[in-house]
Amino acid sequence: MPSPAFDRLRALAIGSQAIGLTLIITLETVMGNAARPWQGVVLAAMLATALTIALLRLYRRNLARKRWAERVEDDRDG
């Protein structure tokens, strides 16, 4: 199975991590030590997003493998 030239989930993962890191740095710059709780919230959101994207990638990969296996089975029968 060839990988697509542009993977939207990978781009979403990279973009969300970049936004999260930028937000954490910005919070530290603007708020100082008062930013710590908000940085924790941003980090938790980043982790939740990363986990969701990883699960979506796994689901799509398994679905593609299942469809490929079904095509191979149909080719053997036909």
Side-chain angles (χ1 to χ4, degrees):
M1 283 181 280
S3 62
F6 180 77
D7 186 353
R8 289 182 185 182
L9 286 178
R10 180 170 289 177
L12 179 63
I14 292 169
S16 67
Q17 296 299 305
I19 290 169
L21 181 61
T22 302
L23 188 55
I24 286 174
I25 292 170
T26 302
L27 285 169
E28 181 70 30
T29 302
V30 173
M31 298 176 70
N33 285 337
R36 299 290 176 178
W38 293 108
Q39 288 174 328
V41 170
V42 171
L43 180 60
M46 288 170 64
L47 292 173
T49 302
L51 179 61
T52 302
I53 291 170
L55 290 174
L56 280 171
R57 286 178 63 89
L58 182 64
Y59 171 77
R60 286 185 178 181
R61 186 179 322 133
N62 287 342
L63 185 61
R65 285 181 182 163
K66 180 180 177 183
R67 288 179 179 166
W68 181 77
E70 288 172 353
R71 274 187 301 217
V72 169
E73 188 65 30
D74 288 345
D75 288 345
R76 287 182 187 164
D77 292 341

